Amino acid sequence: MGMEILQLKDVSLTLNENLILRNITLDIWQGYVHAVSGPNGAGKSTLASTIMGLEGYRDISGSILFNGENIDGLAVDERARRGITMAWQEPARYEGLLVKDFLLASSRSKDLALIRDTVSSLGMNPDTYLGRALDKTLSGGERKKIELASILVNEARLVLLDEPDSGIDVESLERIFEAIGLLKKRGTTVILITHSLAVLQQADHAFLMCHGEILDKGKKDKIIRYFENKCIPCGHKNIPDEWEPVRGR
Amino acid sequence: MEDKSILVAELLEASRIHTRIHDDPEVAYLVVLRNEVIGLKAVPGIEVVPREETDGVDIHFTVQEGVQISKPVYLCFGMLSAEGKQHIKLNVSIQKNARVNIFAHCTFPNSGGIVHRMDADIEIQEHARYSYYERHIHGPDGGIEVVPRAKVILNEGAYFKTEFELLRGRVGLIDIDYDCRCRAHSVLEMLARISGRGDDTIKIRESGHLDGEYARGVLTTKIAIRDKATAEVYNTLTASAPYARGHVDCKEIVQDQARAKAVPIIEVRNSKAHITHEAALGSVDTKQLQTLMSRGLSEDEGVELIIKGLLS
């Protein structure tokens, strides 16, 4: 399908003596929108945190290659400088920090005009928002869009978006999807972490994850079918009782 | 003895308010160098009566009833020498329906052994508004003790806002003690923003007593300390009247071997009153920092930006 920008080889992660990621092997192709989907507790966000190298998520077995380079053990900022960034499901709040300063810090070009255009493209008036603090006076949805703006101006090569529709209203959701489209148009590789069909529809390619494992992969329509049937039978506790604990693919 | 105009210029320049004062004839100001009044200009509706004393100045400051001063009033207290003592006694009366914003610049750019003490008695009469923005400039190595004390009475419908901020230089020792009594429908807002390092010591004791119906008060403290600096914050807010509302908020970011302590005391003596408090002390929030690092900032750059926001 294309060149791999990110490869996970047999990656496992244990947190608090619980095996959270189990021998994950996957390839992420450059310039495509990928989705990692699955039920709550599947390990999707943990996978994103592991790829980003967040504190507490770096002590893995297996290896992670970005652009062919092994990035195991690299800190978050070192991975970011190589071109990986991430948007959290619930963005951080910063007391007193202005949206403008946050976006300038996130921006690779430090171009204020570009920042203003980006904020506008997400349906927000830059004159209103750039001077506001990125704190609890902004709604969750507003902070989500500001964080997405920070991703857009960061100009990373690989973007992890954890539940990008979380806390977002219907109108704003269209803007988020447009932003994902813009990232793809720029040639940015995107990994969507989601359990939402609407978000999954934005992907070119998807992985189905459950209980810390990748159960299947393929074009999004294939993975969507699992969701239309609620999921696939397996032994994980998320599966309704009446289903047989048999893993079928 | 140096020419006074030169001293005034030096002190105002150090305070960075030189042009703001001299370019606008409607701006009132008082400039005190140690115990000497070296600049004074009042505007209609304001009375400023300073009396020089051995180690400072005793000032009576009045805004007359109904007078609303649109331009800020500048008070500049300072010393250009490295050592010495300055004791400012401030008696403030903001009469009914009056309004004034004070910018108090306390400037000690060469501090090495300075003691700056302020004792203030402030009465804000019915429906008057008084805002006091205290901006400090210290020398780069500390060597200063700053001890502001104030007793404040807010009469019915009065408004009092105070902000304390260290703009430049080292803290040295800052020991703030404000006590405010708030009558019905009055509003109290106190904010301190300070960054300490080295062996700086920060002590803040702020009290608000919401004695009247619908009185409101917010005490906010934002501190960042590093190295071996210490910070102790004792904020007290009491409510003894129906519909009094208040909040105490203390955030302290602690790095290195610095030590922080916060003791919020909230007390409610009326079942229709309500007070809340929030305190967070310790390291920089991990999620905030990791988000910034995921944009390519180093850990130090991320911490600096978070602290800049906190103290802004």
Side-chain angles (χ1 to χ4, degrees), chain A residues 106-117:
Chain A
S106 301
S107 165
R108 201 161 292 257
S109 67
K110 312 298 178 197
D111 179 350
L112 190 56
L114 175 66
I115 288 172
R116 292 179 63 86
D117 288 347

Side-chain angles (χ1 to χ4, degrees), chain A residues 52-55 58 75-77 80-81 84-88 90-97 101-102 105-106 108 136 147 150-151 154, chain B residues 220-222 247 249 251 278 285-302 305-312:
Chain A
M52 191 68 244
L54 301 188
E55 198 176 310
R58 289 199 290 270
V76 184
D77 55 330
R81 283 193 282 274
I84 306 175
T85 194
M86 174 173 168
W88 271 248
E90 173 67 28
R93 295 186 301 200
Y94 297 85
E95 188 158 346
L97 181 63
D101 290 337
F102 174 68
S106 301
R108 201 161 292 257
K136 59 188 173 188
E147 179 156 75
S150 78
I151 293 284
N154 187 252
Chain B
T220 306
T221 310
K222 299 177 178 187
H247 182 66
D249 192 349
K251 301 268 187 332
E278 185 179 352
D285 180 87
T286 304
K287 188 172 185 176
Q288 292 176 351
L289 183 57
Q290 300 236 322
T291 299
L292 293 171
M293 290 174 72
S294 76
R295 304 295 184 267
L297 277 71
S298 68
E299 185 171 346
D300 287 347
E301 290 168 337
L305 190 61
I306 291 165
I307 289 174
K308 178 186 165 193
L310 181 78
L311 299 179
S312 66

Side-chain angles (χ1 to χ4, degrees), chain B residues 214-271:
Chain B
Y214 294 98
R216 285 177 287 149
V218 179
L219 311 180
T220 306
T221 310
K222 299 177 178 187
I223 289 175
I225 47 173
R226 63 198 302 178
D227 303 328
K228 293 184 175 178
T230 60
E232 294 179 11
V233 178
Y234 301 88
N235 280 335
T236 301
L237 198 55
T238 66
S240 54
Y243 310 108
R245 295 283 183 271
H247 182 66
V248 177
D249 192 349
C250 179
K251 301 268 187 332
E252 298 188 50
I253 292 178
V254 181
Q255 296 176 269
D256 307 323
Q257 285 81 51
R259 285 183 293 124
K261 180 176 175 180
V263 184
I265 297 175
I266 58 175
E267 184 177 345
V268 172
R269 299 185 204 130
N270 187 292
S271 62

Side-chain angles (χ1 to χ4, degrees), chain B:
Chain B
M1 183 70 184
E2 282 185 79
D3 186 310
K4 279 189 183 178
S5 63
I6 295 173
L7 291 173
V8 171
E10 274 186 40
L11 193 57
L12 296 182
E13 193 64 40
S15 307
R16 297 188 174 176
I17 56 173
H18 193 267
T19 53
R20 272 176 278 175
I21 286 179
H22 286 295
D23 290 355
D24 193 337
E26 294 177 12
V27 166
Y29 62 84
L30 169 68
V31 184
V32 174
L33 185 68
R34 204 176 82 85
N35 66 335
E36 195 177 356
V37 176
I38 57 173
L40 171 62
K41 192 175 95 185
V43 295
I46 293 181
E47 282 178 15
V48 185
V49 183
R51 192 180 75 235
E52 294 177 357
E53 298 187 329
T54 312
D55 60 354
V57 177
D58 186 340
I59 301 157
H60 284 248
F61 180 91
T62 305
V63 182
Q64 291 167 348
E65 184 172 336
V67 172
Q68 307 215 341
I69 306 295
S70 58
K71 299 284 174 69
V73 173
Y74 289 94
L75 304 180
C76 185
F77 305 124
M79 294 171 68
L80 297 171
S81 57
E83 296 180 357
K85 185 176 179 185
Q86 182 182 55
H87 188 180
I88 303 295
K89 296 174 188 168
L90 193 57
N91 194 304
V92 175
S93 173
I94 313 298
Q95 297 183 349
K96 286 181 187 174
N97 298 308
R99 174 186 290 203
V100 68
N101 295 325
I102 304 275
F103 283 79
H105 288 260
C106 301
T107 303
F108 307 92
N110 307 308
S111 56
I114 296 274
V115 177
H116 169 71
R117 183 180 176 91
M118 183 189 77
D119 284 295
D121 278 304
I122 300 165
E123 179 162 9
I124 306 163
Q125 295 185 3
E126 288 82 352
H127 306 288
R129 294 175 68 88
Y130 178 59
S131 299
Y132 188 84
Y133 302 94
E134 187 168 344
R135 308 283 192 246
H136 277 245
I137 292 173
H138 298 174
D141 302 316
I144 183 165
E145 293 181 19
V146 174
V147 188
R149 303 271 186 266
K151 291 195 180 301
V152 186
I153 295 173
L154 287 80
N155 287 293
E156 186 170 337
Y159 172 86
F160 176 53
K161 177 179 183 177
T162 177
E163 285 186 14
F164 184 100
E165 187 176 7
L166 177 64
L167 295 180
R168 277 206 320 277
R170 282 270 304 280
V171 166
L173 165 70
I174 286 179
D175 187 354
I176 298 172
D177 190 345
Y178 273 43
D179 185 80
C180 306
R181 302 221 74 100
C182 306
R183 297 190 177 137
H185 297 275
S186 62
V187 177
L188 165 68
E189 294 177 23
M190 287 199 279
L191 168 64
R193 288 185 289 225
I194 306 173
S195 173
R197 63 181 195 273
D199 59 354
D200 290 341
T201 301
I202 299 164
K203 293 180 184 174
I204 296 177
R205 191 178 296 274
E206 292 179 332
S207 301
H209 305 285
L210 309 176
D211 300 331
E213 284 189 0
Y214 294 98
R216 285 177 287 149
V218 179
L219 311 180
T220 306
T221 310
K222 299 177 178 187
I223 289 175
I225 47 173
R226 63 198 302 178
D227 303 328
K228 293 184 175 178
T230 60
E232 294 179 11
V233 178
Y234 301 88
N235 280 335
T236 301
L237 198 55
T238 66
S240 54
Y243 310 108
R245 295 283 183 271
H247 182 66
V248 177
D249 192 349
C250 179
K251 301 268 187 332
E252 298 188 50
I253 292 178
V254 181
Q255 296 176 269
D256 307 323
Q257 285 81 51
R259 285 183 293 124
K261 180 176 175 180
V263 184
I265 297 175
I266 58 175
E267 184 177 345
V268 172
R269 299 185 204 130
N270 187 292
S271 62
K272 291 180 179 171
H274 188 77
I275 297 182
T276 54
H277 81 81
E278 185 179 352
L281 282 71
S283 60
V284 170
D285 180 87
T286 304
K287 188 172 185 176
Q288 292 176 351
L289 183 57
Q290 300 236 322
T291 299
L292 293 171
M293 290 174 72
S294 76
R295 304 295 184 267
L297 277 71
S298 68
E299 185 171 346
D300 287 347
E301 290 168 337
V303 169
E304 192 180 329
L305 190 61
I306 291 165
I307 289 174
K308 178 186 165 193
L310 181 78
L311 299 179
S312 66

